[in-house]
Amino acid sequence: MCGITGIFSYHYASTSVKREELRLIRDQMAARGPDGKGEWFSQDGRVGLGHRRLAIIDLSDAGAQPMSNEDGSVVLVYNGEIYNYRELRAELEGQGVKFFSHSDTEVILRLYETMGDSLCSKLRGMFAFGLWDAKKNALLLARGPCGIKPLYYANDGWTFRFASQVKALLKSPAVSKDPEPAGVVGFFLLGSVPEPFTLYQEIRALPAGSFMWVDSCGPAQTQKYFNFNEAYWAGAERYRTTPVENIKEVIWQALRESVQAHLTADVPVGLFLSSGIDSTLLLALAATLSTEPMRTITLAFDEYRDTSQDEAPLAAKTAAHYGAQHSTYRLTRNEFNDDLPKVFEAMDQPTIDGINTYFISKAAKARDLKVALSGIGGDELLGGYSSFSIIPKWRKIAFIPALVPFSGEIFRGLFDAFLGPVGIFHPKFSGLLKFGGTTSGAYFLKRGLYMPWELKKFLSRDIFENGLERLNLTRRLKSSLVPSPKSDFARVSILESQWYLRNQLLRDTDWASMAHSLEVRTPYVDATLFKQLAPLFALMKPRENKAWITDSFKADLPAEVLQRKKTGFTVPMPVWLHERTNAKPLSSRQSQLWARTWARSVGQEMAV
Amino acid sequence: MTDAFGGHGGIAQYNRDFLTALSGIEEVSDIVVLPRLAAEKNFRVPEKITQLKPVFHPVIYGFRALWLALTRGPFDLIFCGHVYMSFLAGIVSGITGKPYWLQIYGIEAWQRQKRLNVYFSERASQILSISRFSRRKFLSWATLDPERVKILPATADMSRFVPGAKSKLLLQRWGLEGCQVILTVSRLDSSERYKGHSLIIKTMPSLIKKFKKLRYVISGNGNDKKCLEQLASQLGVEKEVIFLGEVDEALKPELYRLADVFVMPSKKEGFGIVYLEAMASGIPVIAGNKDGSVDPLRDGENGRLVNPDDPREIVAAIEDQLSGAKNETIATSKFAFCNFKNHLLRILKLNFPERFACNEKLYA
């Protein structure tokens, strides 16, 4: 895991790359790569690449970056992990390709030499890279299929700059800080900034599962090489006639294979353990696959000690069950308050989540871990969220009334006049008929933070109006369902994966773990696993697949984990944050709307 | 487009360069230009270009353009030389089924347009901006894939504007013998006060204390001239500030060479071709850092950028230039016409890959 950056003065009128500027951007990402730094500049001064290294595979200097081939015609900076690099290497060696290191970086380099930009679909893992091809006089930028690793770029029309973090790009005096209203509005609507937007007009995210060429004419249109929808769309038929026993075997094999792949490293791999099924399942699989005992970590809070909300006892039992070296990290209010400024410093873009990951990563780092597995993505893949059952229900209720012209506006008016002031319903309820009639709209209703019309209360008119228009959230949500998968389960899974998981969970995991130089791996977020299981899950009813999984592992999982009702991960942070500035305790209404209050504070801290 | 051959000002100059470059590309066979204005009647156009009589009335212009597109074609590309006309270009493009390109220059494209113009601007297949600043401003209201907006910076005739000795004749004519000269070349329009003439006039009293034989020469005409003259006399520098009025185009190269420093601390330049002409003439340039001016000055590599809102910074920059030695090797070759033309060819290739596939040429 690393931090990467590059500057390409592609336009004939642009000035040469300034070394100092590249270093400024690169070293802003020092926490992403404390083990080394590197830079490379083309002879004509038009291209510069920079790298901060966190060494995990091939710890020697041979794995250092920027890495170039023998004649210097291809130079690469890359951030991520390729789990099938050994297989790919063997394949290439079979074709006579010679290697000088044992790193996965070189595998990407050689693969590019062999097959050009179609290499992306061969890679299993999480990645983002920038590759300079001197013969083509062009730069290739690519990002992994699930968007686990971030990649941002800023193009001013003369010069193209990219980096792993928005805040790194902001270090460059040449990158415009003009605000992007769509990013601001998107944050308040959803709780995280939806890609490709950032808070800045000039800085954009390279969309997950795509690559982009930049030549002397500047960036060309991004090209998509992986589409989740197609995986759901195609291939479901092959499972229709598969016997039940075989399906269980398919699921088990696919998960096992993914966990095995994610254990690939030249350093010990730990695991974030909660008392839920997803992380327990990971441990169950990892324990059988790892030669060493797994090192597990649980985040717990003193406030919850001896209550049903305390995850620590069950997690410790589970760990003992699998013979793991377990540790519980108890976060105190004082530590939380002390670290809060550092959290904001590490937060790359505003988000209402990520604090848990920040502290559990801190705990992992304190136990000398460089790599840890996390169960995030399990709920999106396996249908663990309540959204899988609620969204189709809402849609059924709202579908017909929403067809009546202006019903959305009338309902909203009535709600604001009568139900809103009562204070029992969440203000989002006013959008029931406006959005609830479609799957994508109902998804926004479920995941949204504010309704669009609420934003004008605290955003300037310019940002509010311009932002809503530029973001065009309804259209964007709809278009993420094209081609539309055939089942409700698949539709919700797609929306959860492409919005909440990508823009919130994965991005937060990245900055929060990188702040402690920890690489977090997510075996449930894996394109290969997804391709294997998505068509199967597409056939299932909500929650049915989770039951399948549990059934498959019943014999092996601790009974208490299976019996534990899913409560959602609760944290005392709202109370802590509230009590930092308020003498009165958090009321139940304030607690209901806490995410909104928090979003406003984050907005202020991040100068939104 | 608004104007090209026979037109005055920066936009007309840019359009002429664009059309000339286009006509010089082998694969391009016919270019028909319908301007709204042409100040001069006698002008020469390069081969392959037909410039029709100007039509000023917007409605008649619209019908004329549509009629032309339907009867005189078939054309492969519609070029729209002003964002205000994007509505018309979009309609013509829709009816003929041919793509259209939109050119943006400066201030006209910085503010959000009327709804229809926004709609049609966002539908141009290619947008060309004269500078990074204009591109950024355009993208602040136009919602489209930003990569569709490319930059084709203005160019200057580097064979005409060359360094050289001051013309004795002109020094005599304008009474500048033995003087150090600050020069600004631009229109003097009351709507364009952002160019900063008054700022420089206001610095003159302090500058002449240090530089005894200093003159501020203003070339250009407009309805703000009287105001500026008044200001100069109020400050007691009417002798030191010289208004030349409109200087003949043929004298321009010599005019630049008279200067010791070219100053225009403007706040609203799309690009500022005059900076390029001054630099090509070997004259050090001082410009504002808040608009498209940073492009010809290449972020300060080709000249000095100052905060146009800070008079002290402007004075300090002028003093530095007047005290230092004149640098005659300013790297303006980046903006040479051949680079302009080659970049245009690249953009054409991007848009019409089959038509231009065989053209591997680089124009010299």
Side-chain angles (χ1 to χ4, degrees):
Chain A
M1 200 60 48
C2 310
I4 58 171
T5 179
I7 305 177
F8 176 22
S9 297
Y10 64 83
H11 196 277
Y12 67 84
S14 65
T15 53
S16 303
V17 174
K18 289 169 189 66
R19 285 170 187 253
E20 277 319 304
E21 183 193 348
L22 188 92
R23 288 170 194 159
L24 267 177
I25 300 174
R26 183 194 65 186
D27 296 337
Q28 169 68 20
M29 301 181 288
R32 297 185 74 92
D35 298 335
K37 56 185 177 184
E39 60 187 29
W40 170 88
F41 296 93
S42 66
Q43 277 186 342
D44 62 4
R46 303 196 74 78
V47 193
L49 299 175
H51 187 258
R52 295 285 321 202
R53 185 179 186 205
L54 179 69
I56 290 179
I57 291 174
D58 188 356
L59 311 182
S60 74
D61 282 348
Q65 298 185 46
M67 182 180 277
S68 75
N69 63 354
E70 288 73 12
D71 64 359
S73 61
V74 180
V75 190
L76 172 71
V77 281
Y78 137 77
N79 165 30
E81 295 300 343
I82 304 304
Y83 303 121
N84 62 340
Y85 80 100
R86 291 194 185 112
E87 293 89 315
L88 292 171
R89 184 188 170 114
E91 213 177 289
L92 288 168
E93 280 176 332
Q95 294 167 26
V97 176
K98 293 264 178 290
F99 283 79
F100 58 73
S101 77
H102 296 282
S103 66
D104 51 345
T105 313
E106 195 185 352
V107 171
I108 299 181
L109 190 83
R110 301 299 177 196
L111 211 53
Y112 174 78
E113 287 181 312
T114 319
M115 57 193 300
D117 59 21
S118 50
L119 87 160
C120 297
S121 40
K122 295 274 276 182
L123 305 173
R124 178 177 197 170
M126 48 181 178
F127 60 88
F129 65 79
L131 180 146
W132 172 248
D133 184 333
K135 284 179 192 153
K136 277 182 106 158
N137 205 20
L139 178 76
L140 174 67
L141 228 64
R143 191 166 167 220
C146 306
I148 303 170
K149 286 292 118 192
L151 190 53
Y152 298 96
Y153 65 91
N155 169 33
D156 68 4
W158 276 13
T159 305
F160 184 89
R161 298 168 173 88
F162 67 89
S164 303
Q165 289 188 301
V166 173
K167 279 187 174 168
L169 282 172
L170 289 176
K171 276 279 160 185
S172 160
V175 171
S176 157
K177 276 87 184 164
D178 283 1
E180 172 54 68
V184 178
V185 164
F187 165 62
F188 285 112
L189 289 180
L190 297 160
S192 60
V193 182
E195 73 175 34
F197 298 108
T198 68
L199 284 190
Y200 306 92
Q201 187 195 308
E202 201 165 275
I203 306 178
R204 290 169 88 89
L206 182 71
S210 51
F211 64 85
M212 175 196 248
W213 277 104
V214 189
D215 62 14
S216 54
C217 264
Q221 281 211 325
T222 52
Q223 300 183 51
K224 228 167 166 52
Y225 67 87
F226 183 79
N227 191 318
F228 277 91
N229 302 38
E230 279 162 13
Y232 269 126
W233 181 255
E237 294 309 314
R238 71 185 142 115
Y239 286 117
R240 276 200 197 280
T241 50
T242 315
V244 173
E245 284 315 307
N246 290 8
I247 285 183
K248 284 182 179 170
E249 183 61 21
V250 169
I251 296 174
W252 195 82
Q253 270 301 341
L255 284 175
R256 190 175 186 276
E257 218 181 279
S258 181
V259 172
Q260 185 160 34
H262 285 77
L263 287 171
T264 311
D266 294 338
V267 296
V269 178
L271 192 147
F272 295 163
L273 185 66
S274 71
S275 55
I277 287 181
D278 296 343
S279 61
T280 306
L281 194 54
L282 286 187
L283 177 60
L285 289 163
T288 58
L289 292 165
S290 175
T291 47
E292 305 270 313
M294 287 300 289
R295 287 203 246 169
T296 52
I297 301 158
T298 300
L299 184 66
F301 310 95
D302 272 339
E303 257 87 345
Y304 292 162
R305 207 186 272 271
D306 303 326
T307 71
S308 61
Q309 288 163 299
D310 193 2
E311 302 217 30
L314 186 50
K317 263 190 196 175
T318 308
H321 181 83
Y322 294 106
Q325 292 176 5
H326 185 67
S327 58
T328 301
Y329 189 82
R330 288 218 174 253
L331 180 64
T332 63
R333 186 189 292 242
N334 282 348
E335 184 182 355
F336 174 79
N337 282 336
D338 289 350
D339 273 22
L340 207 52
K342 288 184 210 156
V343 170
F344 283 120
E345 206 183 301
M347 192 182 282
D348 194 42
Q349 289 189 82
T351 167
I352 55 166
D353 210 341
I355 299 188
N356 298 329
T357 315
Y358 179 91
F359 285 105
I360 197 165
S361 300
K362 186 179 175 189
K365 179 74 182 172
R367 278 150 190 71
D368 289 331
L369 278 172
K370 262 186 166 180
V371 183
L373 303 186
S374 157
I376 63 163
D379 285 320
E380 285 77 0
L381 181 73
L382 310 175
Y385 292 132
S386 59
S387 55
F388 281 84
S389 50
I390 286 175
I391 288 172
K393 260 188 224 160
W394 284 0
R395 200 197 56 220
K396 269 181 205 148
I397 294 168
F399 179 66
I400 303 276
L403 292 177
V404 179
F406 304 110
S407 58
E409 283 73 15
I410 294 167
F411 182 78
R412 198 180 109 201
L414 292 173
F415 179 91
D416 290 347
F418 302 108
L419 295 176
V422 179
I424 304 167
F425 296 96
H426 196 286
K428 283 199 294 184
F429 193 63
S430 65
L432 182 66
L433 293 194
K434 176 86 180 163
F435 296 109
T438 60
T439 303
S440 55
Y443 174 75
F444 169 57
L445 216 51
K446 175 81 178 78
R447 278 277 174 226
L449 188 62
Y450 281 97
M451 289 292 104
W453 46 86
E454 296 179 272
L455 301 187
K456 61 179 160 207
K457 290 179 204 155
F458 57 90
L459 288 181
S460 72
R461 197 178 153 185
D462 184 41
I463 295 279
F464 164 73
E465 284 177 359
N466 222 341
L468 281 180
E469 196 180 319
R470 286 165 81 83
L471 177 63
N472 204 343
L473 186 63
T474 317
R475 187 182 58 78
R476 268 176 211 278
L477 281 164
K478 262 190 195 155
S479 68
S480 52
L481 286 179
V482 178
S484 180
K486 286 166 186 163
S487 71
D488 277 337
F489 176 89
R491 279 189 280 269
V492 177
S493 171
I494 290 279
L495 288 166
E496 291 285 18
S497 303
Q498 295 195 12
W499 289 81
Y500 182 59
L501 177 66
R502 184 174 304 163
N503 294 326
Q504 182 100 57
L505 296 180
L506 290 173
R507 193 185 298 152
D508 289 346
T509 301
D510 180 75
W511 68 257
S513 59
M514 281 295 113
H516 303 289
S517 310
L518 178 82
E519 172 174 302
V520 173
R521 296 178 175 184
T522 52
Y524 290 115
V525 191
D526 178 77
T528 313
L529 175 74
F530 184 80
K531 278 190 266 187
Q532 287 166 340
L533 296 189
L536 181 63
F537 291 163
L539 299 175
M540 294 182 176
K541 291 187 186 117
R543 304 235 173 177
E544 195 182 27
N545 48 351
K546 194 96 179 192
W548 278 76
I549 303 281
T550 350
D551 279 354
S552 309
F553 289 90
K554 206 173 240 171
D556 197 36
L557 293 179
E560 284 154 298
V561 174
L562 292 168
Q563 282 153 12
R564 187 174 181 266
K565 214 179 155 201
K566 189 175 176 78
T567 53
F569 189 48
T570 48
V571 290
M573 278 96 162
V575 178
W576 290 347
L577 285 162
H578 177 82
E579 288 175 5
R580 274 164 67 93
T581 47
N582 294 282
K584 281 187 189 167
L586 191 70
S587 70
S588 63
R589 179 65 173 165
Q590 281 170 326
S591 173
Q592 187 191 16
L593 299 178
W594 176 76
R596 291 176 164 212
T597 316
W598 178 230
R600 299 284 290 279
S601 313
V602 172
Q604 269 175 1
E605 286 289 338
M606 305 282 286
V608 175
Chain B
M1 49 181 54
T2 48
D3 50 353
F5 297 97
H8 290 163
I11 290 186
Q13 175 66 54
Y14 183 90
N15 288 343
R16 283 197 294 277
D17 290 331
F18 179 86
L19 293 166
T20 308
L22 199 60
S23 70
I25 292 170
E26 254 169 56
E27 288 84 351
V28 177
S29 54
D30 189 19
I31 303 164
V32 180
V33 184
L34 179 62
R36 289 191 62 195
L37 301 160
E40 309 288 333
K41 290 218 169 102
N42 297 320
F43 50 81
R44 281 186 52 219
V45 294
E47 251 185 277
K48 299 191 220 170
I49 299 177
T50 315
Q51 181 168 313
L52 303 173
K53 269 190 187 167
V55 181
F56 184 70
H57 193 283
V59 178
I60 302 172
Y61 182 90
F63 281 111
R64 179 90 174 88
L66 190 58
W67 180 249
L68 195 66
L70 291 172
T71 56
R72 170 106 190 230
F75 295 103
D76 295 299
L77 174 68
I78 296 139
F79 181 82
C80 174
H82 204 291
V83 71
Y84 296 160
M85 294 196 241
S86 55
F87 166 62
L88 172 64
I91 299 276
V92 174
S93 164
I95 290 174
T96 55
K98 298 296 177 190
Y100 99 86
W101 286 15
L102 173 64
Q103 175 70 49
I104 54 173
Y105 311 88
I107 202 160
E108 89 286 352
W110 294 354
Q111 296 298 323
R112 192 181 179 78
Q113 304 292 304
K114 286 181 187 155
R115 204 158 270 279
L116 273 177
N117 277 341
V118 172
Y119 179 85
F120 285 107
S121 297
E122 288 171 356
R123 270 142 197 88
S125 62
Q126 178 74 68
I127 294 127
L128 294 177
S129 170
I130 198 166
S131 67
R132 289 172 291 173
F133 187 80
S134 290
R135 178 182 183 272
R136 198 166 78 225
K137 287 286 172 191
F138 174 80
L139 286 172
S140 73
W141 58 263
T143 310
L144 46 86
D145 177 12
E147 317 325 338
R148 227 158 75 213
V149 190
K150 309 267 178 216
I151 295 179
L152 188 61
T155 174
D157 188 345
M158 309 287 172
S159 58
R160 253 183 93 213
F161 296 99
V162 287
K166 293 187 180 192
S167 151
K168 281 185 184 157
L169 195 72
L170 289 184
L171 285 174
Q172 246 176 13
R173 187 192 295 176
W174 292 325
L176 298 170
E177 286 161 308
C179 296
Q180 281 186 297
V181 175
I182 302 172
L183 175 71
T184 305
V185 177
S186 92
R187 264 197 303 251
L188 305 178
D189 206 286
S190 56
S191 65
E192 295 180 4
R193 289 197 173 140
Y194 53 79
K195 299 219 180 238
H197 295 91
S198 59
L199 261 175
I200 304 169
I201 295 174
K202 283 177 193 162
T203 65
M204 284 303 282
S206 74
L207 282 170
I208 52 177
K209 280 182 198 154
K210 268 198 176 174
F211 306 94
K212 300 289 177 216
K213 293 195 87 182
L214 181 65
R215 297 290 181 270
Y216 175 33
V217 174
I218 298 174
S219 159
N221 230 335
N223 59 14
D224 210 28
K225 192 175 159 194
K226 270 198 181 145
C227 250
L228 293 171
E229 282 173 335
Q230 264 176 3
L231 178 69
S233 54
Q234 273 167 17
L235 295 170
V237 288
E238 64 270 31
K239 254 199 222 161
E240 284 80 10
V241 180
I242 297 170
F243 292 86
L244 299 182
E246 193 73 49
V247 172
D248 191 66
E249 194 58 37
L251 281 180
K252 279 266 180 74
E254 301 228 50
L255 168 69
Y256 283 113
R257 289 198 287 263
L258 291 184
D260 293 279
V261 57
F262 181 93
V263 188
M264 192 165 84
S266 182
K267 295 179 206 170
K268 291 183 181 174
E269 287 309 300
F271 182 90
I273 294 182
V274 284
Y275 299 121
L276 216 51
E277 292 174 345
M279 288 185 294
S281 309
I283 309 302
V285 168
I286 297 170
N289 62 4
K290 292 206 181 330
D291 58 9
S293 314
V294 297
D295 281 19
L297 275 80
R298 297 181 69 231
D299 301 328
E301 279 195 15
N302 281 9
R304 176 97 172 247
L305 290 168
V306 294
N307 178 358
D309 291 316
D310 185 350
R312 280 174 305 180
E313 212 178 304
I314 299 169
V315 171
I318 295 175
E319 284 182 359
D320 279 355
Q321 289 300 344
L322 293 177
S323 326
K326 200 163 151 185
N327 174 14
E328 295 208 345
T329 53
I330 303 164
T332 47
S333 60
K334 290 271 179 194
F335 296 100
F337 183 73
C338 61
N339 286 345
F340 179 90
K341 189 170 169 183
N342 285 321
H343 203 60
L344 175 60
L345 175 60
R346 272 183 226 122
I347 296 169
L348 280 166
K349 269 188 191 175
L350 263 186
N351 283 271
F352 303 94
E354 288 132 35
R355 293 288 186 89
F356 293 87
C358 304
N359 197 336
E360 293 295 329
K361 209 182 252 181
L362 269 185
Y363 293 97

